């Protein structure tokens, strides 16, 4: 009690996840009896499909409750290899794939494995909140590559080239993107893949939303457009989003054997194997029926269309049409400088606080994703909530003078 501990510099420099912080604030208000509509959640609102749960019950009944191989059980790795084959047309060896406790831990392991102090990692903006801290925890330096909503947050290839130097270790790609819902074109992926080969830098592709797309086209990543980039691509994926399994904590990666082995070594000295029961469940998710994914995507698409219709009817907002994931990233900067009573809205954080306290809706400030002009709505909530939430949003934003 009262002790003032000297914590590590590492943890002092670390910022807590801002999306989880917003969620906590919203939950606190809810506890106090305030009726909050939550647009800040980053997980599907669908239940984990029954056949996946059954596989977990079976695993427990059969006593599959002990340590497994650090890098995942062979049958799950086999299913992952099959998925990678479908996604990219490439054959991966078991030593080139591994399973971790979520896609997030895959990313953590990867940057611990490839980055030394002072190495640079290029992160396109807007980015998923955890990329910069994960790079920094490995001693690396995030280098930001801005993009603009006017051209669909396309990657600025010339700018990318100008950022590459002898310290550049990797670039992170996330398509479909959290927070924008944007999908990179085959041409962009081709360019990036060529740049990676030429400059010997890794492309870490975060494909976690691969199956949640509304464009009707096949999934593409650098490997599917340019298989020759294989030596430089590390794929990250998982079952959290596409199988509605966020709580089960299973993610996986595929990449060059040396990198994967290094990640496995790190995992062996930190978390060891991912949960044995969840691995069996993930196996059922990957190999079982896929119809629930289509149902889920169809529902997300309806919600996206509705939310876009509502937002586009409000003056001064700009919303690039999301092609995947379950987020709408909305430019609210034309409202900056306006006020409600004594509160002046000058940035995305104040805007999100205002929307929470006055509008009783929870959204995430764009600042968390590196672009302060925006706020992020997650539409992983019921249509009923979205309808009521859009009414509240419209009312709150129109009250700004
Ligand atoms: C949800 C998410 C992840 C990883 O989630 P896990 O639950 O750790 O598998 C990774 N990247 C992005 C962009 C996400 O939104």
């Amino acid at each position: 009690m009262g002790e003032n501990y000297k914590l590590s510099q590492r943890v002092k420099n670390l910022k807590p996840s801002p999306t989880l912080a917003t969620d906590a604030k919203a939950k606190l208000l809810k506890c106090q009896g305030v009726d909050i509509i939550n647009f800040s959640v980053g997980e599907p609102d669908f239940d984990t499909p029954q056949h996946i749960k059954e596989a977990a019950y079976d695993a427990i009944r059969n006593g599959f409750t002990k340590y497994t191989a650090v890098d995942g059980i062979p049958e799950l790795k086999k299913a992952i290899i099959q998925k990678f084959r479908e996604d990219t047309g490439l054959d991966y060896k078991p030593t080139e794939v591994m399973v971790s406790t979520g896609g997030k831990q895959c990313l953590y392991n990867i940057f611990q494995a490839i980055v030394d102090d002072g190495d640079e990692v290029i992160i396109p903006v807007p980015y998923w909140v955890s990329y910069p801290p994960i790079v920094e925890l490995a001693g690396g330096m995030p280098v930001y590559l801005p993009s603009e909503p006017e051209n669909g947050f396309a990657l600025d290839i010339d700018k990318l080239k100008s950022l590459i130097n002898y310290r550049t270790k990797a670039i992170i790609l996330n398509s479909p993107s959290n927070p924008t819902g944007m999908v990179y074109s085959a041409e962009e992926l081709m360019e990036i893949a060529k740049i990676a080969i030429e400059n010997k830098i890794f492309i870490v592709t975060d494909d976690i939303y691969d199956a949640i797309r509304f464009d009707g086209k096949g999934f593409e990543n650098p490997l599917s457009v340019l298989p020759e980039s294989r030596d430089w691509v590390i794929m990250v994926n998982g079952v959290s989003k596409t199988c509605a399994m966020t709580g089960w904590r299973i993610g996986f990666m595929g990449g060059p054997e040396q990198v994967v082995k290094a990640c496995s070594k790190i995992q062996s000295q930190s978390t060891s194997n991912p949960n044995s029961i969840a691995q069996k469940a993930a196996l059922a998710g990957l190999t079982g029926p896929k119809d629930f994914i289509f149902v889920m995507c169809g529902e997300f698409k309806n919600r996206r269309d509705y939310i876009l219709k509502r937002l586009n009817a409000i003056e001064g907002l700009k919303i690039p049409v999301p092609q995947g994931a379950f987020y709408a990233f909305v430019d609210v900067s034309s409202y900056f400088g306006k006020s409600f009573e004594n509160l002046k809205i000058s940035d995305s954080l104040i805007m999100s606080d205002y929307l929470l306290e006055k509008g009783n809706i929870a959204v995430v400030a764009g600042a968390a994703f590196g672009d302060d002009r925006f706020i992020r709505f997650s539409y992983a909530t019921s249509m009923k909530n979205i309808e009521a939430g859009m009414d509240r949003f419209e009312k709150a934003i129109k009250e700004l003078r």
Side-chain angles (χ1 to χ4, degrees), residues 84-315:
F84 286 158
R85 192 179 295 128
E86 285 159 17
D87 287 348
T88 67
L90 295 173
D91 279 312
Y92 275 77
K93 290 185 294 188
T95 47
E96 294 171 314
V97 304
M98 82 178 266
V99 190
S100 291
T101 303
K104 201 182 244 182
Q105 199 203 353
C106 289
L107 291 163
Y108 187 84
N109 289 340
I110 289 166
F111 289 102
Q112 289 291 325
I114 65 173
V115 160
D116 267 325
D117 281 351
D119 282 350
E120 296 181 0
V121 175
I122 297 173
I123 302 178
V125 183
Y127 47 75
W128 184 46
V129 292
S130 290
Y131 298 148
I134 287 175
V135 168
E136 284 166 347
L137 277 172
M141 282 226 316
V143 173
Y144 297 107
L145 173 58
S147 67
E148 284 305 321
E150 283 71 35
N151 50 9
F153 296 105
L155 224 82
D156 184 338
I157 298 291
D158 291 328
K159 179 89 181 129
L160 168 61
K161 284 182 180 160
S162 78
L163 294 178
I164 294 173
N165 64 58
Y166 70 97
R167 283 209 185 104
T168 310
K169 209 61 200 244
I171 174 167
I172 307 180
L173 296 185
N174 177 216
S175 172
S177 150
N178 174 5
T180 67
M182 289 299 143
V183 172
Y184 289 129
S185 69
E187 294 72 33
E188 284 175 285
L189 293 170
M190 177 68 87
E191 283 291 328
I192 300 160
K194 283 184 187 158
I195 291 171
I197 298 172
E198 204 179 294
N199 294 281
K200 296 185 184 294
I201 60 176
F202 290 109
I203 306 175
V204 178
T205 69
D206 179 348
D207 300 339
I208 201 94
Y209 294 100
D210 64 351
I212 307 177
R213 281 175 296 105
F214 318 124
D215 51 11
K217 290 187 273 184
F219 173 71
E220 284 169 328
N221 75 7
L223 289 172
S224 62
V225 298
L226 191 69
E228 293 80 359
S229 64
R230 177 175 182 155
D231 288 346
W232 294 101
V233 174
I234 311 167
M235 280 183 285
V236 174
N237 211 320
V239 289
S240 281
K241 308 291 157 66
T242 48
C243 292
M245 289 179 68
T246 44
W248 300 74
R249 311 307 306 129
I250 296 291
F252 41 85
M253 70 166 90
E257 186 175 275
Q258 287 172 47
V259 175
V260 172
K261 279 193 170 155
C263 290
S264 179
K265 188 160 74 173
I266 288 160
Q267 185 156 293
S268 76
Q269 297 291 20
S270 49
T271 58
S272 289
N273 65 273
N275 179 295
S276 61
I277 301 152
Q279 288 191 70
K280 286 285 193 186
L283 175 63
L286 289 180
T287 56
K290 294 283 183 301
D291 29 329
F292 70 92
I293 298 179
F294 296 108
V295 174
M296 189 167 73
C297 277
E299 183 58 32
F300 281 142
K301 184 169 184 297
N302 288 342
R303 296 175 188 175
R304 179 201 67 170
D305 292 346
Y306 176 79
I307 218 169
L308 284 180
K309 197 178 80 192
R310 291 294 305 266
L311 292 169
N312 279 318
I314 301 170
E315 208 188 305

